[in-house]
Amino acid sequence: MTTHDTGIPQLLAAKEIVVVCGAGGVGKTTTAAALGTMAAVHLGGKVLVLTVDPARRLAGAMGLSGLGNEATRVPAEALAASGPEPRGELWAAMLDTKRSWDDLVRRHAPDARTRDAILSNPLYRNITGKFVHSHDYIAMERLFELHASGAYDLIVVDTPPTRHALDFLAAPQRMADFFSSRLLRWLLAPYRSRLVNAASRPFYQLADRLLGSAFLQDIAEFFILFQSMYDGFIERARAVERVLGDRRTTFVVVTTLEAAPADEARRFIAALADRRLHLGAVVLNKVLPVELLDPEATAAARELRSRPDELAGELLSDGAVAEAVLGVPSAEPADRALVARVLGELGESFLNFQVVATREAEQRAELGVGAEVVTAVPSLETDVFDLPGLLRMGRRLWSHEGPPR
Amino acid sequence: MTVGLLDRRLLFVTGKGGVGKTTIAAGLALLAAEQGRRTLVCEVDAKGDLAGSYESGDIAFEPRELHPGLFAMAMDTEASLREYLAVQLKLPRFTRLGGLAHTFDFLANAAPGVKEILTVGKLAWEVRERHYDLVVVDAPASGHVIGQLQAPQAINEMLSVGPIREQTGWVLQLLTDASTTGVVVVAAPEEMPVTESLELVDRLGRTNIDLAAVVVNRVLPELFGRAEEQVFERLARPQPAAALAAAVGPSAVAVVDAARVAVTLRRTRAGHLARLREGLGPSRPVLYVPELFARTHGLRATRQVAGALDAELS
């Protein structure tokens, strides 16, 4: 059960890395930005929001327009103008996959020649530029790098939009596996010995037939170059993994209360438990007001929907009410019909949204279990694209509601 | 638009996560089948959402007829590779792939684009062989789809010889023929989905692959006209509010508040919708699918979406 000393503020104060995750479209980026902004304003210290793919207006709001990998400070005046005097600094950085890979190669390459050969290899450019698998790893790698730099008190990172939200958790391990794989070692074996190695011959012949030996040679060359960085990479992937499991790191799962994202959130929460990673909070984003479930309001809505004409007549028979609604004390039939339409629509709309709210309540009941903090953000306050908006959303996150009753 | 949306042969349905991409793909395929087209719908990222849309039980690599004329499959790149080897290279299917199966995942990661080409290639092949009138692809989310569609081009550039290079040739031709292949971008009238859709349309414009349509999902009905809206605002004044509470109970205020949420939500969405239309320009076809309050998933929702798309297309 939640007590009042465990909330989002306490969580952000206690941790150094907050990884914000969840299905696509639930508001991960905005949540990460709101959390970081609130921490910078209220808790102080140097806070970095590392975002993967922000919408342009949000990026603009955070001072990120036209920037690459470098962290940029959100101007203190801009922050102060949107709310209380900030206690700390807010920094923001975007993830540029290609640049991050290049940096990684520069760091690990044993010499300038290898470095240049890798950077200009067409396969390398394809891996880093066009295809998606490298994204997960590089996001975690960059997080590690920024944390290790010791330049920030808190880093809030929003995770890349992977097909499965879990992909990035496995990314460091996958990268390590990749570099120690049998295939890789086989590709790196001298061409000649490959031919005499009976076990691999059918595979090689097949690969040769499919891809052409020139391409295989390209691949081999690429990996021979990459192998020179093998130790550095493995060590690094392990270190990245350790940081994710460190007690200074926590995960915040964001979800809406729609079926598919909520399902993914549940799977994600289970996976965090499996990996013994720390689930800090569950953020329910874009939730409808709970008043939609109120039985008395429901009864009122049903009545409005079932006898709007009668009710309109009743209301307008009072001259003062007619005056307030229509501007004239006595209503014509057309006026009554107009008011009746509005009353009927009020009831209809309430009952429509109630169906959605009922579904949300079910999802919510299943989700809160196990998380220390469950916090809900109403649907109207999530359309955020400036600093005041981030702070508004942040205040909602700050005042956590505890598990559902 | 020169060709009707469903008269194309291959449609890739994509969009930002959470906008209802799978439901729209499922609805399009159902509609096409109901109109008498032999239709294949393929889920690419194997999350099982498509099975949920038809309430059909598991969907596998081998296509299964779910409704008359509607076949569904789930992409499995390893199965696709086996099929490719059997069909294109005439290797017997029982050939032991030995190290290949075992290290397939690594190969797929090592030689970039292998998974993508096996996916796109399989779908293009179904089209070329005329096994179906229409193939609808529940494609990866917008961030990934361009990479997938460009894989044949990338492979084509990297390989100098061999059967794969030859085959990327016809795949490319099929993908870039606008009367055959098109991308359907699904958007929702919200900040991020609209921004991302516009970015995707922009990126798509720089490829040779045609944008077939933009589908806006979850459009809220207009609650009030102008006169009604004025009445609605005035109902919140003290005297009408008190009279309403006296008539239907004190909770009337909650009903009015809820309507205010609905009105604001609709207004916000209308703003995003306007931004989307402005960004797209007049020549791009836009289809609207209304918010479904009662059901968001399952066969019933899929049928309703198919109905809404039908109304938009006719």
Side-chain angles (χ1 to χ4, degrees), chain A residues 150-350:
Chain A
Y152 302 95
D153 298 293
L154 173 69
I155 300 175
V156 184
V157 61
D158 119 61
T159 50
T162 47
R163 294 175 193 196
H164 297 277
L166 298 175
D167 279 0
F168 78 90
L169 284 182
Q173 181 60 45
R174 259 208 320 261
M175 192 54 69
D177 285 350
F178 178 68
F179 277 99
S180 48
S181 76
R182 219 158 58 100
L183 176 74
L184 190 51
R185 267 180 283 133
W186 173 81
L187 277 170
L188 298 174
Y191 182 82
R192 199 181 301 272
S193 73
R194 227 183 281 158
L195 288 185
V196 297
N197 181 344
S200 61
R201 191 185 295 155
F203 172 59
Y204 181 75
Q205 283 170 348
L206 186 60
D208 192 39
R209 209 167 139 194
L210 278 173
L211 301 164
S213 47
F215 183 60
L216 280 185
Q217 282 306 108
D218 276 356
I219 295 184
E221 188 196 271
F222 170 67
F223 284 116
I224 286 165
L225 289 169
F226 242 65
Q227 198 195 30
S228 63
M229 307 195 299
Y230 175 87
D231 291 337
F233 260 91
I234 295 274
E235 194 189 312
R236 192 68 170 195
R238 298 273 177 245
V240 171
E241 210 171 21
R242 274 198 303 278
V243 163
L244 290 182
D246 194 284
R247 44 187 289 279
R248 291 168 299 178
T249 301
T250 190
F251 290 77
V252 170
V253 175
V254 185
T255 183
T256 62
L257 290 171
E258 289 167 284
D263 258 6
E264 196 151 334
R266 270 190 289 276
R267 274 195 298 254
F268 198 89
I269 290 167
L272 287 177
D274 281 353
R275 289 165 190 267
R276 300 176 184 284
L277 298 172
H278 182 259
L279 172 64
V282 177
V283 171
L284 311 178
N285 203 7
K286 308 185 197 182
V287 300
L288 286 171
V290 285
E291 287 75 18
L292 283 168
L293 299 175
D294 180 53
E296 281 171 28
T298 309
R302 289 215 176 102
E303 213 165 325
L304 285 165
R305 188 176 61 171
S306 60
R307 46 185 199 99
D309 299 310
E310 219 177 300
L311 287 168
E314 213 176 301
L315 289 183
L316 296 174
S317 66
D318 181 336
V321 173
E323 173 91 59
V325 174
L326 302 165
V328 289
S330 65
E332 299 293 317
D335 298 327
R336 267 199 293 280
L338 173 67
V339 173
R341 273 205 303 282
V342 173
L343 294 180
E345 201 57 62
L346 282 178
E348 178 70 28
S349 168
F350 183 92

Side-chain angles (χ1 to χ4, degrees), chain B residues 189 194 198 268-280 288:
Chain B
V194 164
L198 288 174
T268 319
R269 288 195 189 179
H272 294 310
L273 204 53
R275 190 161 59 90
L276 177 66
R277 290 168 60 160
E278 195 185 320
L280 288 174
Y288 301 96

Side-chain angles (χ1 to χ4, degrees), chain B residues 3 8-10 171-182 208-210:
Chain B
V3 197
R8 301 201 197 212
R9 308 283 319 286
L10 178 57
V171 172
L172 266 174
Q173 217 164 23
L174 197 140
L175 289 180
T176 54
D177 174 7
S179 64
T180 303
T181 303
N208 297 323
I209 299 159
D210 194 49

Side-chain angles (χ1 to χ4, degrees), chain A residues 24-25 29-30 55-57 123 126-127 130-133 161 163-164 177-178 181-183 203 206 209-211 214-215 219 223 258-260 264 286 289 292 294 296-297 300-301 303-304 311 314-315 320-321 324-327 338-339 341-343 345-346 349-350 352-353 355-356 359 379-380 383 385, chain B residues 16-18 45 47 84-85 89 91 97 100 102-103 106-107 109-113 116 144 147 151 154 158-161 163-164 190-192 195-196 199 218 220 223-224 227-228 231-232 234-235 237 239-240 243-244 247-248 251 254-256 258-259 261-262 264-265 268 272 275 293-297:
Chain A
T29 306
T30 317
R56 265 190 229 123
R57 281 159 75 192
L123 266 164
N126 268 296
I127 286 185
K130 286 203 179 102
F131 297 99
V132 295
H133 280 284
R163 294 175 193 196
H164 297 277
D177 285 350
F178 178 68
S181 76
R182 219 158 58 100
L183 176 74
F203 172 59
L206 186 60
R209 209 167 139 194
L210 278 173
L211 301 164
F215 183 60
I219 295 184
F223 284 116
E258 289 167 284
E264 196 151 334
K286 308 185 197 182
L292 283 168
D294 180 53
E296 281 171 28
E303 213 165 325
L304 285 165
L311 287 168
E314 213 176 301
L315 289 183
V321 173
V325 174
L326 302 165
L338 173 67
V339 173
R341 273 205 303 282
V342 173
L343 294 180
E345 201 57 62
L346 282 178
S349 168
F350 183 92
N352 267 339
F353 277 93
V355 177
V356 183
R359 267 202 307 269
S379 98
L380 285 180
D383 210 38
F385 39 79
Chain B
K16 184 174 168 60
D45 56 9
K47 276 180 161 183
Y84 171 82
L85 296 174
L89 300 186
L91 291 178
L97 294 180
L100 185 57
H102 185 66
T103 50
F106 290 123
L107 178 72
N109 283 313
E116 286 83 355
H144 303 310
M158 271 189 301
L159 298 177
S160 46
V161 290
I164 290 196
E190 290 168 47
E191 167 78 17
M192 301 284 220
T195 303
E196 204 165 291
E199 281 169 4
R218 296 187 189 156
L220 282 174
L223 215 50
F224 299 124
E228 281 93 346
V231 168
F232 169 66
R234 289 174 172 181
L235 277 174
R237 291 179 176 178
Q239 275 162 327
L244 199 59
V248 296
S251 292
V255 179
V256 175
V261 172
T264 316
L265 210 55
T268 319
H272 294 310
R275 190 161 59 90
F293 288 104
R295 290 269 178 280
T296 55
H297 293 86

